[in-house]
Amino acid sequence: MNDQTALKTTPLHALHLSLGARLVPFAGYDMPVQYPLGVLKEHLHTRAAAGLFDVSHMGQLIVRARSGSYEDAALALESLVPVDILSLADGRQRYGFLTDDNGGILDDLMITRRDDHLFVVVNAGCKAADIAHIRSHIGDRCEIEVLEDRALLALQGPRAVEALAELWADVAAMKFMDVRHCRLHDVSCLVSRSGYSGEDGYEISVPANYAVDIAQRLLEHPDVQPIGLGARDSLRLEAGLCLYGNDIDTTTSPIEAGLEWAIQKARRAGGAREGGFPGASRILAELETGTSRRRVGLKPDGKAPVRPPAKLFADAEGSQEIGHVTSGGFGPSVESPVAMGYVSASHTAPSTQIFTEVRGKFLPLTVTALPFIKPTYKR
């Protein structure tokens, strides 16, 4: 998108400019890709201390059953996702994905139970389509409220708890995937102990007109630095987390993507609410019999990063193509190039050597288990 005037901005846009951010178009928004610290140092700072990310471009929704019953809201949304939402405890969050009739992934999302309704966060690039999809399928049973007047901040890293506890001490007692209503700097916020970096941390839904105040208060903490999309991408890659549009999309099933852990027993074959979601026949069959390809971690043997859409081969001559790279770059924390991609099931075992073509040469890579770093979530 070359016309900058066509880009949307988040409530923190002016703050990004004042902090010296370099802005780039992303999902229709003018977003910070890095600050003067630079992507490498931003990445390492998040792993060592705490980084503050603006993720206000993502969509925030309330799904409430017209009957007023949580059970009705949960069952309605379960008709669109292969996730057990009915048993979700109040104040708890789950990762899930919208699937299509072919078993592909329309988007991944976070689902939280808040008393009698659901709070849902969807990806920026998919949010218009997600909202239309949800409304068209369950709008007769549920009210879908889009929270246009809220920002979303992510505070990630081992010192995140200390920084946020200065505004609300009770965040320290929260566990991974807990969600709490709290007052930060006397502002009503919804805080989850979650994020997309592989580190302990929080995501904070805040009224848009108070977003700058909250962000500035957090940035006053000596351990907190602003972090852009560049480091966010390298952090999630090291953590083995999927980026929609790269690692998952409508051409990939949740099982091919290695996301079967997010499909609870109740929604599987023989479960209390088996199937009942789009693409269930394929997804349930793949849970039983496996898939012809899988997402894996990849470590190039040399120092050169391997990036999508590089093809992957079983041999150094490139005669047997077995897959392709979906994400790749340099991993600052592991001090080496890292990548993810899909390979045929016969080549998914860790330590398997495969090859990719870079500028006419076939370079070796090693299949490795994900993630590349040990997550530090507060269990």
Side-chain angles (χ1 to χ4, degrees):
M1 191 177 297
N2 294 321
D3 183 5
Q4 292 290 315
T5 62
L7 295 174
K8 298 177 183 178
T9 58
T10 75
L12 298 175
H13 190 260
L15 179 61
H16 299 318
L17 292 173
S18 72
L19 294 170
R22 182 163 71 87
L23 301 172
V24 299
F26 181 80
Y29 284 78
D30 201 23
M31 295 294 293
V33 68
Q34 68 177 75
Y35 296 86
L37 195 62
V39 173
L40 177 65
K41 290 182 178 178
E42 289 174 28
H43 177 116
L44 295 174
H45 182 86
T46 304
R47 291 268 187 253
L52 184 66
F53 304 76
D54 179 11
V55 288
S56 304
H57 55 318
M58 300 181 77
Q60 302 180 62
L61 320 174
I62 296 289
V63 178
R64 180 181 282 107
R66 297 186 185 278
S67 67
S69 162
Y70 173 75
E71 179 178 330
D72 290 345
L75 291 175
L77 195 55
E78 280 192 5
S79 70
L80 300 180
V81 300
V83 179
D84 178 2
I85 304 173
L86 185 62
S87 70
L88 196 58
D90 190 16
R92 290 289 293 168
Q93 180 174 248
R94 271 191 177 141
Y95 172 81
F97 24 80
L98 294 164
T99 52
D100 65 17
D101 290 338
N102 297 317
I105 301 173
L106 292 169
D107 195 13
D108 57 346
L109 66 168
M110 299 301 294
I111 305 163
T112 298
R113 178 177 180 178
R114 293 290 298 155
D115 190 21
D116 64 349
H117 64 273
L118 293 160
F119 173 65
V120 178
V121 178
V122 299
N123 284 309
C126 303
K127 66 182 177 182
D130 289 350
I131 293 164
H133 177 77
I134 294 169
R135 279 182 170 153
S136 68
H137 286 83
I138 65 171
D140 58 335
R141 290 174 281 169
C142 297
E143 296 175 359
I144 315 300
E145 179 185 358
V146 182
L147 303 180
E148 303 281 11
D149 59 346
R150 296 190 74 84
L152 192 64
L153 308 176
L155 184 67
Q156 300 284 288
R159 303 290 293 173
V161 61
E162 286 85 357
L164 192 55
E166 289 191 358
L167 300 187
W168 193 61
D170 290 352
V171 296
M174 294 172 64
K175 303 292 186 184
F176 184 56
M177 293 295 200
D178 276 351
V179 181
R180 297 287 182 269
H181 176 267
C182 66
R183 297 193 72 82
L184 303 180
H185 197 27
D186 205 33
V187 176
S188 179
C189 299
L190 190 65
V191 175
S192 65
R193 196 158 195 171
S194 61
Y196 223 61
S197 65
E199 297 294 331
D200 182 26
Y202 302 87
E203 292 188 330
I204 308 160
S205 176
V206 56
N209 55 329
Y210 289 102
V212 171
D213 290 343
I214 297 297
Q216 287 178 326
R217 280 294 300 270
L218 291 169
L219 290 169
E220 287 172 4
H221 194 284
D223 289 325
V224 179
Q225 290 284 342
I227 310 296
L229 293 175
R232 181 174 170 83
D233 190 53
S234 58
L235 288 160
R236 69 90 195 165
L237 175 55
E238 285 187 342
L241 300 171
C242 294
L243 175 65
Y244 191 84
N246 283 46
D247 309 295
I248 52 175
D249 56 27
T250 55
T251 70
T252 59
S253 77
I255 316 307
E256 290 177 324
L259 299 175
E260 58 265 37
W261 56 267
I263 304 176
Q264 289 75 33
K265 183 178 179 180
R267 308 304 309 279
R268 298 186 180 210
R273 295 182 310 288
E274 172 185 340
F277 51 85
S281 58
R282 174 189 177 183
I283 292 169
L284 295 183
E286 289 182 348
L287 278 168
E288 295 295 322
T289 63
T291 60
S292 61
R293 62 172 189 161
R294 291 276 287 186
R295 178 174 63 96
V296 297
L298 301 165
K299 277 198 171 182
D301 288 6
K303 294 184 178 181
V306 177
R307 304 185 189 278
K311 295 179 179 179
L312 298 170
F313 302 90
D315 58 291
E317 292 74 38
S319 61
Q320 183 184 350
E321 186 176 338
I322 57 169
H324 66 284
V325 173
T326 55
S327 286
F330 182 75
S333 303
V334 297
E335 299 181 327
S336 70
V338 290
M340 294 192 297
Y342 286 83
V343 299
S344 60
S346 58
H347 291 78
T348 57
S351 302
T352 300
Q353 187 176 71
I354 59 176
F355 298 85
T356 188
E357 186 178 7
V358 178
R359 292 186 292 276
K361 296 182 179 180
F362 289 92
L363 305 178
L365 306 92
T366 301
V367 174
T368 185
L370 293 170
F372 298 101
I373 51 96
K374 183 179 180 179
T376 61
Y377 308 131
K378 172 95 172 175
R379 300 289 185 180

